[in-house]
DNA sequence: CGCTTTTGACCCGCGC
DNA sequence: GCGCGGGTCAAAAGCG
């Protein structure tokens, strides 16, 4: 099994990046019990420098505040699990050491509750220098009259108001785009997901009618929000999403010509068999012996793996008898602060909300990637949704082209320009459309914190498209209930976070760029070789052309 | 006492 | 067939 290269989702060190991490040579001996940690800590890291975006982060990171790191005066502290999926969208970490980590709620609120960017727009002018009421009554030493001062002040005020108005309009426009993208996302999900639910219900005509209605709905949305996204392009995107899975609506493919996309058709049995070998690996920088994923695990073995001085621990899910899900936990040989957790299998029981994200990610990622990875011989799977969702991950995401299974690696533990990241043998870079480095997820705490959820949700929808998700009744129930229930909350949370994070806003714009770019050039061309600019209303071009970063790791 | 962890033995697949 | 490495089993030990 280990011979199979797995999927690899590398989670950001978010805030636990240790600049001087202690060597953990006793990882399995860490006498920390998993699943019992209860203390939480905010995971916001210091804000990235966002030089390319005129919106100013109002987030105040007090660098003088106590360190979040679980260390005290270079003394090793035992840390429990790192909880990526705790409540509040992964913004907290679980640690055993109650007094080692604590953060003010204001830090969290400052990053999540702030949804109105208008208050934080830095228009580049020093508003404090404008005349106040008391100043207006004075006459300067040069003898300038009150009228002159007033005129000058009025002009300045007018200019400022104008600029403020434009900034507000720009923010409104971006919000509109966000709403539009969210709606489109839901529409596509309904469009491609519903037929799958009714598969076997043989109502193709109804499907076509539904498609037509959705198209009209998109047109309406376009009218309402004025976002210049061609419905055709959205349809192309939908085609991309549906075609990225091995099982898609056949009639849809036929009509759109996607069937010629060299996507081999794998039957469910084949894929299910492969699924049993598929894995999703989560790389995270953490001192904890195990990450908290919401499930209960029991250790059943430990082995020394070749080429790694750190032993590999084996766990199985104990939330239900007979649950086939296993996971392996091992520290990275090169960097022992990096914890690699590899999941395998699908849960046969309902999951708590805290576990939904990871479980959904693992099962769906495996399905999607297995089906998608088979779509081309060079290992470049149809990862358009990743491209769309994580447009800034060009320097972090890799997919292994080595047989028999592809490996996707999203290296969020690395700074934006990390072409030097030691890629595992056989891995190749996913040619995601490159985007400006400032919107790298590693630079966006909000984006990074939301990544598991985003990825999981998107993967789930992707897998719904594939039709492979329906192979197990339990899982289907779980996904249909759990995902449907959590989707709204997730979208809301993500929306709030996006609105609060200018980096993500820019990422959104870039994502739209990638959508348009990919559909304009070729629906399946994830390379987006053509650089393109997305102009905002103020005339500033958001350059989405390829950079060196995006080309790296091939 | 029950549950979890540890750890050596065993099984299995793969390459030679 | 044999050795190697990964994965699993299960008895013993540990722990609350």
């Amino acid at each position: 099994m280990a011979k199979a290269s797995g999927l690899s989702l590398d989670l950001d060190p978010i805030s636990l990046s240790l600049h001087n991490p202690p060597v953990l040579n006793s990882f399995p001996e860490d006498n920390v019990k998993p699943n019992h940690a209860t203390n939480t800590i905010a995971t916001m890291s210091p804000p990235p420098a966002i030089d390319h975006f005129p919106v100013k982060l109002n987030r105040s990171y007090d660098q003088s505040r106590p360190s979040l790191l679980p260390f005290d005066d270079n003394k090793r502290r035992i840390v429990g699990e790192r909880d990526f999926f705790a409540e509040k969208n992964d913004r907290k970490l679980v640690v055993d050491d109650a007094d080692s980590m604590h953060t003010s709620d204001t830090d969290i609120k400052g990053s999540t509750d702030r949804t109105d960017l208008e208050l934080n727009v830095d228009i580049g002018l020093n508003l404090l220098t404008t005349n106040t009421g008391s100043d207006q009554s004075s006459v300067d030493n040069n003898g300038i009259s009150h009228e002159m001062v007033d005129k000058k002040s009025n002009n300045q005020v007018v200019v400022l108001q104008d600029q403020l108005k434009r900034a507000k309009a720009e923010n409104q426009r971006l919000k509109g785009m966000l709403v539009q993208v969210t709606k489109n996302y839901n529409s596509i999900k309904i469009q491609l997901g519903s037929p799958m639910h009714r598969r076997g219900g043989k109502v193709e005509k109804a499907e076509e009618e539904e498609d037509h209605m959705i198209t009209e709905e998109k047109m309406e949305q376009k009218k309402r929000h004025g976002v210049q996204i061609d419905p055709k392009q959205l349809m192309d995107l939908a085609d991309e999403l549906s075609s990225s899975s091995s099982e898609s609506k056949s009639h849809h493919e036929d009509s759109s010509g996607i069937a010629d996309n060299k996507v081999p058709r794998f039957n469910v049995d084949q894929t299910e068999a492969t699924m049993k070998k598929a894995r999703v690996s989560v790389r995270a920088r953490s001192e904890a012996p195990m990450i908290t994923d919401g499930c209960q695990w029991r250790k059943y073995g430990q082995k020394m793996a070749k080429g790694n001085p750190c032993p590999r621990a084996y766990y199985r899910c104990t939330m239900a008898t007979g649950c086939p899900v296993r996971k392996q936990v091992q520290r990275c040989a090169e960097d022992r602060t990096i914890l690699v957790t590899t999941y395998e299998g699908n849960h046969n029981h309902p999951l708590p909300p805290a576990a939904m994200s990871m479980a959904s990610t693992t099962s769906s990622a495996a399905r999607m990637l297995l089906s998608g990875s088979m779509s081309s011989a060079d290992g470049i799977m149809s990862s358009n949704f990743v491209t769309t969702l994580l447009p800034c991950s060009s320097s972090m995401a890799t997919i292994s082209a080595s047989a028999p299974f592809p490996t996707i690696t999203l290296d969020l533990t690395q700074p934006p320009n990390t072409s030097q990241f030691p890629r595992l043998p056989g891995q190749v870079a996913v040619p995601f459309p490159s985007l400006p480095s400032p919107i790298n997820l590693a630079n966006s705490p909000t984006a990074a914190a939301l990544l598991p959820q985003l990825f999981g949700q998107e993967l789930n929808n992707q897998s719904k498209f594939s039709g492979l998700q329906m192979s197990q009744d339990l899982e289907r129930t779980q996904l249909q209930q759990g995902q449907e229930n959590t989707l709204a909350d997730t979208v809301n949370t993500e929306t709030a976070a996006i609105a609060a994070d200018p980096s993500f806003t820019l990422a959104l714009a870039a994502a739209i760029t990638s959508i348009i770019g990919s559909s304009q050039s070729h629906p399946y061309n994830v390379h987006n070789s053509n650089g393109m600019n997305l102009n905002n209303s103020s005339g500033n071009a958001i350059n989405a052309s390829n950079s060196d970063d995006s080309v790296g790791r091939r």
Side-chain angles (χ1 to χ4, degrees), chain A residues 437-490:
Chain A
S437 59
I439 58 171
N440 191 307
L441 281 182
N443 274 348
S444 176
T446 304
L450 286 172
L451 175 63
Q453 214 168 7
L454 281 166
F455 206 44
Q457 289 292 341
E458 198 67 20
L459 286 166
N460 279 326
N461 288 288
Q462 185 78 358
S463 60
K464 279 182 181 177
F465 304 157
S466 74
L468 299 173
Q469 192 73 18
M470 307 307 159
S471 59
Q472 297 179 14
D473 290 341
L474 280 173
E475 183 177 9
R476 175 177 53 208
T477 303
Q478 161 194 329
L479 289 171
Q480 285 178 347
Q481 293 178 350
Q483 293 175 16
E484 305 289 306
N485 290 339
T486 59
L487 179 61
D489 291 340
T490 302

Side-chain angles (χ1 to χ4, degrees), chain A residues 363-436:
Chain A
S363 64
S364 300
R367 277 191 163 78
M368 188 284 299
L369 284 168
L370 280 173
S371 57
S373 63
M374 298 167 184
S375 61
S376 64
D378 59 357
I380 305 304
M381 45 163 282
S382 46
S383 53
N384 299 306
F385 87 94
V386 178
T387 305
T388 301
L389 191 68
L390 306 172
C392 42
S393 58
S394 61
S395 64
M396 298 171 288
T398 58
I399 291 180
S400 171
S402 62
F405 304 110
T407 295
I408 182 171
T409 299
L410 300 176
D411 177 25
L412 301 180
T413 66
Q414 300 296 312
N417 300 318
T418 56
S419 56
Q420 74 275 12
F421 175 67
R423 200 184 320 153
L424 295 175
Q427 285 186 334
V428 297
V430 180
F432 292 154
S434 63
L435 293 161

Side-chain angles (χ1 to χ4, degrees), chain A residues 194-237:
Chain A
S194 296
M196 303 313 300
H197 290 214
R198 289 175 295 160
R199 189 170 291 278
K202 68 281 176 183
V203 276
E204 292 196 351
K205 186 168 184 180
E207 293 174 7
E208 292 173 2
E209 289 175 355
E210 182 186 44
D211 292 348
H212 183 63
M213 290 176 62
I214 290 174
T215 304
E216 290 182 343
E217 181 184 350
K218 288 173 183 172
M219 295 289 285
E220 284 295 318
Q221 290 172 354
K222 179 186 174 184
K223 287 177 185 173
R224 282 197 298 269
H225 300 283
V227 177
Q228 299 303 310
I229 298 178
D230 193 337
K232 168 75 165 58
Q233 294 167 344
L234 289 171
M235 294 301 293
D236 289 342
L237 172 62

Side-chain angles (χ1 to χ4, degrees), chain A residues 36-54:
Chain A
H36 294 156
T38 55
N39 300 315
T40 58
I41 180 173
T43 63
M44 299 305 294
S45 60
I50 305 174
D51 301 324
H52 299 65
F53 201 71

